[in-house]
Structures are given as C-alpha cells and as structure tokens.
Amino acid sequence: MLERLSSFFILIMAGLLSSQVSANTLAPLALPSVSSTATASNTPLTAVPSLAQWRADLRMEAISQGIAPLLFEQAFAGFSPDPQVIAADQSQPEFSRPVWEYLDSAVSSWRVARGKALLVEHAKTLQAIEARYPVEPSILVAVWGMESSFGRQIGSKNVIRSLATLAYQGRRSDFWRSQLLAALHILQEGDIIPSGMLGSWAGAMGQTQFMPTTYRQYAVDFDADGRRDIWNSSADALASAANYLSLSGWQHGQPWGLEVQLPTRGFNYALADGVQTKSLSQWRALGVTLRSDTANGQNLEQQPTTLFLPSGHQGPAYLLLDNFRSILKYNNSTSYALAIGLLSNALEGDYRAPAAWPKHERMLSRQERIELQTLLNQLGFSSGNPDGIIGVNSRQAVRSFQQVQGLPADGYPNDALLNSVRKAASKAY
C-alpha cells in the first residue's frame, strides 16, 4: 500500500485524475516527473553506483537490520533489473480515463454477481472478521474485488526483483529501498518464500495488494496457521484489509457517502473545495437534497460531510463522510474510493445508478493540462509547477479563475475551461 498524503484535500484532487489500477500501487497517484537531465541543469548528476556495489551496500544494510545472509543470497540469486518495471515507472499516460468509464468497469454486472456469491460462500468467515475488526462484509468484498478480482489477479511479478529494480534505477529510490528492506523482513519472518512473493510491478502484494511496509504493520494471521498469507489465504487477506480500515478510522454502521441533488440555480459550487464541511442539516438549508432515503434512520443530520463533485458541476454530487476518508487511506484515489462505495452498495442490493455524467466532455491531455497550468500562472492564478498533474494548487487556481470570470467555480478542468483560459490569456498578452 502506498505512503499516504496527509491532506484529505490533496486526496480529493489527486484522485480525480487517476484511473483504475490495483489498489495500493503507484499508478493511481500523481507521481513526480522524471528528473531533468544534465542538459537542462548546471547541477552535476550524482554518480550511479554499479549494480555490484549497490547490491553489496544493500546486503550490508539488510544484514545490519537482522536479515540472514543466506536469505539475502537466496532472494537475490541471479538478480538483474527488470526493464518492464522501469518502463512502467517512467510511463506518463497522455490521457486520463474518465471517472464514469472507470466506474462502469468497477461496478460491472460480473463483479456484482461474483461479489454477492462470495458474500454467501464466505459468510461465516466474514462474520468472524466483522466481530473482531468492525468493518462490514460488503466493504471487504468490494475491496477484494477491486484489488485482485477476488484473488484471481494478484500480479505475476517477483516482488523482490521489482522493488530492487526500482530501488536501484527508479525514481524515489529511498522509498523503494525501504519497501525492499521491508519485503526482506517478511521473508525473514517466514510468511512466504521468495518465489511465492508475487505482486504488481510496483511491489503491491497478494489479494489485498499491500505494499511491504503496510503488510508488516497491518497483515494478520486470521486462519491461525502461523503465517500472514495474503497471497493464498482469503481469510488472512480479508482480515488484513479489515484491520487496516478499522485502524484507519472506519465507523461501523455508517455510510461512506450519500448521493445528492444540488439546486439548479444559485448554488455556490466553490463549497465543493474538499475543505469545507457542513452537516446534512446545513446542506439541506442550502437546497441540497438526497437522491434516496438511504440516510433515514441513521442519525446523520449532524454528521460532518464534504461536498464532492467527481466530474464538476455537470455531473453527480456526493456528500462524503469519514468512512470515505478511511477508504482513501487504503488507496489514495477518489475514483477508487467512490468505486468501493458504489460496489459495496450494489453488493448489499442498494445500488442506484448515479445521476448523468457529462460524457460529452473531452478529458484534457497531459500537454493540455500543462498548458492550462502555464496560462493560469501567467494570468496570476498560481497553479504551481506546470507538470500536468491537477492537484491542490491547480484546482484552486482554476476555481479562482472561474470566480473572476463568473463561471461555476467547481475547480474542474475541462475543454471549455481551457478555452476560456486561452481567451483570457490572449487578451492579457
């Protein structure tokens, strides 16, 4: 599982641009740009150690942390960097996947049907897990389905090789080195053998796609066989996910969020900035109404909620509760968290298709996002370094521009917004 960003607002912004990927891998996150080359800077590049020297240094560090020399040699027998991992790490897709396409795949008829069957098949285990870690079975099965298609797709990469490749040649080498050392500790503890430690290119492992540091902190041996086996034991995998969510603040019996209908006129879309919270009663006073009666009888009127517009003011609207934030801690993507919520609703037989998505809109390419950020900066709306990642600063810059122009200030970058910014820039310069 990924190292999490601390701000919920940052989570909201990063998730809007992310597309589906196995949870807890790097793909849903806005990753740093590839470092500039020497031709772009006068700063000399740090010499890269030879692979043999890097391996020797790592071996010394691992042994100092208690890793047995023999285990290290077994884990690194015949090691060579994996070019596919480097290619995946350096990939920067030109286009983002629209959230509605992602959700169509996430809450597919197959996934719902299979999830319902597994709820019945594993009912006894899920009830026992719920009693120990108070998280509803539908949420756990939704996570299971999204992470690995219910254990069918855990990844085929050797985790040690992937992490070693990234620690030696990838960006953020210190992060990858810490994950690699954690993976060696897992082997040392005997939960899995090196050949069985399989996962994604980014080192996310097993049926719950835990990163090694997350595994060491949250994985549990629920079936009591002496091993925390999230690769081969569905009980261990589901209980580990429950343990993580429970310790991330999950509130049993509370919904993750509520779909709402906003007023058609005069509504202040800037309230959907990911920061401002209001109770359900306060939203009602502003003309916001629930699309269903899900909240009835759940004592939610005074619960703090945040307004979320995943596709701007023209698409569905949600009031998010604390449980949504708990899902975000599992995977730093609002698209993913929304998918988990909607899939869990469907597994409980309480699914209602969201309000119409603005499918007529075209998603901005990476180059267009960079252009948007550059122009906003030139116009005095600080969006930070133009990198094509629409994060906190960029979305606030968009919102400020929209307010000045008298546009709905939803902070959502689309083709129409880019054209408006272009026109303003052409007049200013």
Side-chain angles (χ1 to χ4, degrees), residues 48-358:
V48 177
S50 68
L51 180 59
Q53 182 61 54
W54 175 86
R55 184 184 184 280
D57 291 343
L58 177 70
R59 182 179 186 275
M60 185 180 301
E61 182 177 1
I63 292 172
S64 73
Q65 292 187 12
I67 301 301
L70 178 59
L71 184 144
F72 184 93
E73 297 301 331
Q74 290 175 337
F76 277 85
F79 168 73
S80 64
D82 187 338
Q84 292 181 345
V85 169
I86 293 300
D89 181 47
Q90 296 179 347
S91 174
Q92 297 190 47
E94 181 65 15
F95 291 93
S96 298
R97 187 181 186 187
V99 61
W100 49 86
E101 289 185 6
Y102 170 69
L103 292 175
D104 284 345
S105 174
V107 194
S108 66
S109 57
W110 174 85
R111 189 171 271 126
V112 172
R114 181 61 180 155
K116 286 182 175 179
L118 290 170
L119 277 171
V120 175
E121 180 180 339
H122 295 273
K124 185 176 180 180
T125 298
L126 287 165
Q127 289 168 5
I129 292 173
E130 185 178 16
R132 186 179 303 180
Y133 312 103
V135 179
E136 289 79 356
S138 62
I139 288 290
L140 298 179
V141 172
V143 169
W144 193 21
M146 291 295 296
E147 295 295 343
S148 63
S149 290
F150 310 110
R152 293 156 53 101
Q153 300 173 3
I154 66 171
S156 59
K157 291 288 186 183
N158 179 284
V159 168
I160 295 297
R161 187 186 185 197
S162 293
L163 292 175
T165 298
L166 292 164
Y168 177 59
Q169 289 185 287
R171 299 169 289 170
R172 301 195 299 161
S173 59
D174 289 345
F175 169 78
W176 295 119
R177 191 181 185 96
S178 69
Q179 296 297 331
L180 176 57
L181 289 167
L184 290 171
H185 279 286
I186 294 169
L187 296 177
Q188 177 88 6
E189 291 156 5
D191 285 329
I192 194 74
I193 60 175
S195 62
M197 184 180 271
L198 301 177
S200 72
W201 68 265
M205 310 180 303
Q207 299 183 38
T208 49
Q209 293 291 277
F210 276 7
M211 292 298 286
T213 53
T214 301
Y215 174 99
R216 295 198 71 204
Q217 187 171 0
Y218 298 103
V220 298
D221 174 22
F222 194 78
D223 61 14
D225 68 349
R227 295 181 296 118
R228 299 178 296 172
D229 187 0
I230 63 173
W231 294 267
N232 304 296
S233 169
S234 58
D236 285 1
L238 290 166
S240 296
N243 185 40
Y244 186 91
L245 288 171
S246 178
L247 293 175
S248 297
W250 185 268
Q251 298 181 28
H252 189 271
Q254 296 287 327
W256 57 270
L258 305 165
E259 188 178 3
V260 294
Q261 184 72 44
L262 303 182
T264 56
R265 294 183 181 180
F267 186 77
N268 180 12
Y269 294 103
L271 294 172
D273 62 0
V275 175
Q276 301 182 66
T277 62
K278 296 183 183 295
S279 68
L280 187 54
S281 298
Q282 290 172 320
W283 288 116
R284 290 186 197 275
L286 294 174
V288 176
T289 57
L290 298 178
R291 285 199 71 216
S292 71
D293 60 357
T294 303
N296 289 347
Q298 290 186 301
N299 193 27
L300 300 177
E301 288 297 323
Q302 301 307 317
Q303 290 286 328
T305 62
T306 304
L307 180 61
F308 176 42
L309 306 177
S311 58
H313 73 284
Q314 298 186 70
Y318 295 89
L319 294 181
L320 306 179
L321 287 89
D322 286 340
N323 281 347
F324 192 87
R325 296 165 176 81
S326 296
I327 301 172
L328 284 171
K329 291 176 182 177
Y330 194 99
N331 185 307
N332 183 16
S333 163
T334 53
S335 296
Y336 172 88
L338 185 57
I340 292 295
L342 294 175
L343 179 56
S344 68
N345 287 357
L347 295 179
E348 294 175 350
D350 187 30
Y351 178 71
R352 177 178 180 177
W357 296 97

